[in-house]
Amino acid sequence: MQKTSIYSFLLLLFTLAATAQAPKKPTASEIYHNLQKLNFVGSALYIAAHPDDENTRLISYLVNDVHANTAYLSITRGDGGQNLIGPELRELLGVIRTQELLEARKTDGGQQFFTRANDFGYSKNPDETFEFWKKEDVLSDVVMTIRKFKPDIIVNRFDHRSPGSTHGHHTASAMLSLEGFDLANDATKFPESANEHGTWKPQRLFFNTSYWFYGSKEKFEKADKSDHVKVEIGNYFPSLGLSNGEIASLSRSMHKSQGFGSTGSRGSETEYLEILKGSKPSDNNLFEGINTNWSRLEGGNEIAAILKPLEENFNFENPSQMLPQLLEAYPLVSNLKDKHWRAIKLAQLKQLILDCGGIFLEAVSEENTINPNDNFNVTVEAVNRGGNSVALKSIKNANGKALWNTTESLPFNNKKNIELTLRSEKNTPPYSSPYWLNEKGTVGMYAAPKKLIGLGETPVFEQLIFELQFGNTVIPFTKDIIYKFNDPVKGEVYRPLEILPKVTASIPEKVLIFADNSSRNVSVIVRAGKDNISGNVSLKYPEGWKIEPSQQNFELSRKGETKTFSFKVTPPNNQSEGYLQTIINAENETFDKELVLIDYDHIPYQSVLLPSEAKVAKIDIQKKGQSIGYINGAGDAIPESLKQIGYSVTTINPSNISEQSLKGFDAIVVGIRAYNVVSDLAFAQPILNKYVENGGTMIVQYNTSHDLVTKDLAPYSLKLSRDRVTDEFSDVKFLSPKHPVMNTPNKITQADFEGWVQERGLYFPDEWAKEFTPILGMKDSGEAQTKGSLLVAKYGKGHYIYTGLSFFRELPAGVPGAFRIFANMLSIGK
């Protein structure tokens, strides 16, 4: 089945594929609010770098107060951030943060778009950023978004004129927006998107400034604001029962992986926007001088004559009374010559027709996953809960083929169920996994099919078209086929219907460290994506390694069933790195993907397909000590990594720490940001200090200086800063080359700092007591050397170590040198 029609429809509307949550069933007040949006013909685009950069207050204001068609363009998906809710990092964190943004937009009413830029981690200036991003490619995505979305106004979150004052991604996003503002109207620039979407000239470009950009409220109050627009965004919406600040906080609180839960605000609030391009509005109306009425469109006056009175005389007790007028407007909106606004307004009008008519349409699959070219059963539910006459004329698939073609009236509140058998055919891309992960990209850029660039997620493949007849008017409504079930605790749970491979495999341990020449048994888990599948599984391996047996046969009788196979892996004699990759042969096809499931309550269930592989490394590594106590922080995989090199790791409950409970541990390791998120550490710190004094080793990994649960996180004075080294290839100077942590039991050399990922480290201390010995010096280009990345102090009989080195990234990535340095820290004093 060719899916071009689905893509064209979705891309034309510039909408996002529906995430499978419970369908909205709007109240009369929400229907009125949506009618106001229908009668506003204007658009605004907000642009910044990451998920959580957007100003939800201003976006909510534009959507819910101005009623503008509003979207946020996030240059990246936030892959380089930290995760406060689970272990996912990099690509998987990007999937989570993408969905959090989509949920935020559902909350405030906006739309969400992206570019292909990969959030590779912190950068200090835009020059460094563009070393990883392909500027022309990202700029082409920005220009394409402007041409497709056609905003009247664009708002930048960050200042393009202050490189080095904030994250390089931030400044880069503003620079890209500034260039894109002009280039979008030049047909000679990026002609492919100009041919497809036409050129576009936005009317105004703003910088959404605040006192943050001036350094303080006092400086901001004294600043010249003659080129600023002052906007009141603290309004209350009686039809919604919420203030703008309350909606904005609900939206921002969707960024849970970054810890951005927000409390709603009420009362007057002000936003300032500096005009960068275009004329400054004289009355603080961002759309002043821009026609945002139906008269903007040829044929729009006739539509306004029908729809504006509905808004002015809205019947909150019975919105269904305006259905005849909505149906009268339908052919007029359908015949608008402006294709862009026709698509937007037709979608809004059709949703109002369903909502006012009280019509519920749903298509539910019996299964939550299917395979390409698979038959599956669907139950259709159609209910007319309004008092108007309506008939279900037909049900078609996405290509227009009739699946049910018997016109039947839908009596009032009388549910109609229809059973259908459908066939899912080959799609491009073939699976429902996030499209930007299907092909291998670069450190700074994702690969994506041209037709999908900009979309928040992979479009839904399986849809039905319901043709409803209202008198002489027939209107098609497209609905995604979904899956739902009843949970005894949560009740009705919705999930997307996903197309996934017939079989997948995974190697549970993503990094396999071999500290000597001994063989290890490596597990491979094969998972059935359909009933009754058989085949064989083997491992592809680097040169010099040995795998036994060469392949193993499997038979799985039930979808979702798994079976674990063990392969004997023998490393070479010399130091070596590479990857093990699973290869499955079944039903005359080859499969090489791992299925990763992401299940958090605040975002839709996600099925992510990644290459099924694990890094293997033969490392020359020695260690002392055996038993490690680990205090979890904001989430990392350090314990699993330490087990890889033979340590016994026990998780310590901070609330149960006592002198007795710490006895027997050779070292205590504290997870990342623990002193930011674990309040019990404020009370446990004296006990931990005593443990060190009595001869123990304590290693504290990075924390941010903001919101520490205690400032006394060390037995001596220690002040954290925002110092960081973002260049993972930067030179490292050995400040104390004879110190034991550099020599015992492993001799640390410059080779141990090769192959690091994303960064050297972050939030280094910049002041410390004389008892600390700085071990390493490092810096980014053009900056002064930092000395706080690794500090060691003798305290009593033991050792206290503070490190901002990004071990939480390096160890899970299998960086050999990081393992050797960490082993030395654990071994100190032994």
Side-chain angles (χ1 to χ4, degrees), residues 730-734 748-754 756 760:
S730 62
D731 293 336
V732 177
K733 183 177 181 180
F734 296 169
I748 303 303
T749 69
Q750 289 293 337
D752 290 303
F753 291 92
E754 296 175 0
W756 284 50
R760 289 294 189 200

Side-chain angles (χ1 to χ4, degrees), residues 465-756:
I465 300 172
F466 295 79
E467 287 189 326
L468 296 183
Q469 185 167 354
F470 304 84
N472 294 323
T473 302
V474 177
I475 303 176
F477 296 91
T478 301
K479 291 288 183 179
D480 299 332
I481 300 175
I482 52 87
Y483 171 76
K484 68 178 181 179
F485 64 95
N486 185 73
D487 182 273
V489 176
K490 298 177 182 178
E492 190 176 47
V493 176
Y494 281 74
R495 284 185 178 174
L497 171 65
E498 297 177 302
I499 300 178
L500 296 175
K502 297 176 182 177
V503 61
T504 55
S506 64
I507 304 173
E509 295 181 281
K510 299 307 176 191
V511 176
L512 298 157
I513 304 298
F514 291 76
D516 54 35
N517 294 333
S518 301
S519 301
R520 289 176 57 180
N521 288 326
V522 174
S523 295
V524 174
I525 301 175
V526 178
R527 183 184 190 276
K530 59 169 291 187
D531 293 340
N532 301 315
I533 188 166
S534 60
N536 63 69
V537 57
S538 60
L539 285 175
K540 186 177 179 181
Y541 52 91
E543 184 177 355
W545 295 69
K546 296 180 181 179
I547 306 291
E548 296 179 287
S550 60
Q551 70 177 37
Q552 300 187 55
N553 297 327
F554 69 86
E555 289 186 15
L556 298 168
S557 60
R558 179 176 49 83
K559 179 193 288 189
E561 182 183 354
T562 62
K563 189 168 289 187
T564 301
F565 298 88
S566 181
F567 289 85
K568 182 181 177 182
V569 178
T570 305
N573 294 327
N574 56 306
Q575 186 160 311
S576 172
E577 294 180 61
Y579 286 88
L580 299 180
Q581 299 170 302
T582 66
I583 304 294
I584 294 178
N585 293 296
E587 298 188 355
N588 298 316
E589 294 183 65
T590 299
F591 302 89
D592 60 0
K593 297 296 185 182
E594 172 186 5
L595 176 62
V596 180
L597 303 177
I598 299 177
D599 189 9
Y600 293 102
D601 287 341
H602 68 297
I603 59 174
Y605 190 86
Q606 298 292 298
S607 296
V608 184
L609 294 172
L610 297 174
S612 180
E613 61 185 19
K615 183 174 182 179
V616 289
K618 167 67 183 308
I619 300 176
D620 177 18
I621 188 170
Q622 304 295 322
K623 66 182 183 66
K624 295 183 179 180
Q626 180 62 33
S627 181
I628 308 300
Y630 203 86
I631 301 173
N632 286 323
D636 59 56
I638 297 293
E640 293 80 0
S641 299
L642 297 181
K643 292 175 184 177
Q644 287 275 351
I645 55 175
Y647 282 105
S648 173
V649 184
T650 302
T651 300
I652 298 174
N653 184 339
S655 62
N656 295 332
I657 288 177
S658 65
E659 289 189 39
Q660 185 62 34
S661 68
L662 300 182
K663 287 183 177 179
F665 288 118
D666 295 306
I668 303 295
V669 181
V670 183
I672 60 172
R673 296 179 66 174
Y675 286 90
N676 297 125
V677 299
V678 182
S679 57
D680 286 328
L681 283 177
F683 309 101
Q685 192 61 41
I687 304 172
L688 292 167
N689 289 344
K690 192 68 175 178
Y691 162 81
V692 177
E693 186 178 12
N694 290 337
T697 297
M698 181 176 176
I699 301 171
V700 177
Q701 298 178 84
Y702 96 91
N703 293 268
T704 67
S705 58
H706 183 63
D707 288 337
L708 288 167
V709 299
T710 176
K711 293 183 179 180
D712 300 321
L713 67 166
Y716 304 114
S717 64
L718 185 71
K719 182 181 178 181
L720 304 183
S721 74
R722 297 183 63 84
D723 289 350
R724 62 198 302 161
V725 176
T726 61
D727 181 2
E728 64 268 40
F729 308 110
S730 62
D731 293 336
V732 177
K733 183 177 181 180
F734 296 169
L735 302 177
S736 302
K738 295 182 180 181
H739 195 281
V741 81
M742 294 292 291
N743 294 279
T744 306
N746 303 289
K747 177 68 174 178
I748 303 303
T749 69
Q750 289 293 337
D752 290 303
F753 291 92
E754 296 175 0
W756 284 50

Side-chain angles (χ1 to χ4, degrees), residues 253-506:
S253 294
M254 290 299 172
H255 297 297
K256 299 185 189 304
S257 66
Q258 303 301 294
F260 280 116
S262 176
T263 299
S265 62
R266 289 152 291 279
S268 177
E269 290 185 286
T270 303
E271 287 289 338
Y272 289 88
L273 293 94
E274 177 187 354
I275 186 72
L276 299 177
K277 287 181 178 289
S279 61
K280 179 192 172 188
S282 60
D283 63 353
N284 295 327
N285 173 9
L286 302 181
F287 285 87
E288 184 198 40
I290 301 171
N291 186 356
T292 57
N293 299 312
W294 281 106
S295 60
R296 174 177 187 164
L297 309 175
E298 184 179 344
N301 286 329
E302 190 176 357
I303 298 170
I306 299 171
L307 297 180
K308 287 300 290 185
L310 297 180
E311 182 182 338
E312 295 162 0
N313 304 289
F314 188 81
N315 186 336
F316 285 89
E317 291 186 1
N318 187 9
S320 67
Q321 286 188 353
M322 70 178 186
L323 185 60
Q325 289 88 345
L326 296 177
L327 293 171
E328 183 184 355
Y330 176 76
L332 301 176
V333 175
S334 299
N335 291 320
L336 283 171
K337 292 184 178 180
D338 188 313
K339 294 189 295 182
H340 173 74
W341 281 111
R342 180 177 68 210
I344 293 171
K345 293 306 172 185
L346 197 58
Q348 292 175 339
L349 177 61
K350 287 168 66 173
Q351 189 59 51
L352 275 171
I353 289 172
L354 282 183
D355 295 339
C356 289
I359 299 165
F360 181 84
L361 301 173
E362 190 169 74
V364 181
S365 169
E366 285 185 356
E367 303 177 81
N368 66 321
T369 67
I370 54 177
N371 308 129
N373 303 310
D374 205 3
N375 291 330
F376 63 105
N377 297 323
V378 171
T379 299
V380 168
E381 180 181 338
V383 188
N384 175 14
R385 297 180 291 183
N388 298 280
S389 176
V390 60
L392 178 60
K393 187 174 185 294
S394 72
I395 302 174
K396 300 177 180 179
N397 66 13
N399 285 339
K401 178 183 177 182
L403 306 171
W404 183 89
N405 207 18
T406 306
T407 301
E408 287 191 20
S409 176
L410 296 177
F412 172 70
N413 215 26
N414 188 359
K415 181 173 70 172
K416 180 172 185 59
N417 284 342
I418 300 170
E419 305 294 331
L420 299 173
T421 298
L422 283 69
R423 183 173 181 80
S424 171
E425 299 185 25
K426 193 90 172 182
N427 304 285
T428 304
Y431 301 120
S432 301
S433 181
Y435 68 86
W436 61 95
L437 298 179
N438 286 339
E439 297 180 26
K440 188 174 181 61
T442 65
V443 172
M445 297 292 295
Y446 281 121
K450 289 184 178 179
K451 288 184 176 295
L452 301 183
I453 292 172
L455 296 182
E457 57 188 347
T458 303
V460 172
F461 294 134
E462 299 303 326
Q463 298 175 310
L464 292 180
I465 300 172
F466 295 79
E467 287 189 326
L468 296 183
Q469 185 167 354
F470 304 84
N472 294 323
T473 302
V474 177
I475 303 176
F477 296 91
T478 301
K479 291 288 183 179
D480 299 332
I481 300 175
I482 52 87
Y483 171 76
K484 68 178 181 179
F485 64 95
N486 185 73
D487 182 273
V489 176
K490 298 177 182 178
E492 190 176 47
V493 176
Y494 281 74
R495 284 185 178 174
L497 171 65
E498 297 177 302
I499 300 178
L500 296 175
K502 297 176 182 177
V503 61
T504 55
S506 64

Side-chain angles (χ1 to χ4, degrees), residues 740-787:
V741 81
M742 294 292 291
N743 294 279
T744 306
N746 303 289
K747 177 68 174 178
I748 303 303
T749 69
Q750 289 293 337
D752 290 303
F753 291 92
E754 296 175 0
W756 284 50
V757 298
Q758 188 160 325
E759 62 199 356
R760 289 294 189 200
L762 62 171
Y763 297 108
F764 301 158
D766 61 354
E767 295 180 23
W768 50 82
K770 61 181 177 60
E771 287 82 1
F772 283 105
T773 300
I775 305 298
L776 303 171
M778 56 186 68
K779 65 175 183 175
D780 282 321
S781 178
E783 296 189 353
Q785 180 176 254
T786 66
K787 299 182 179 181

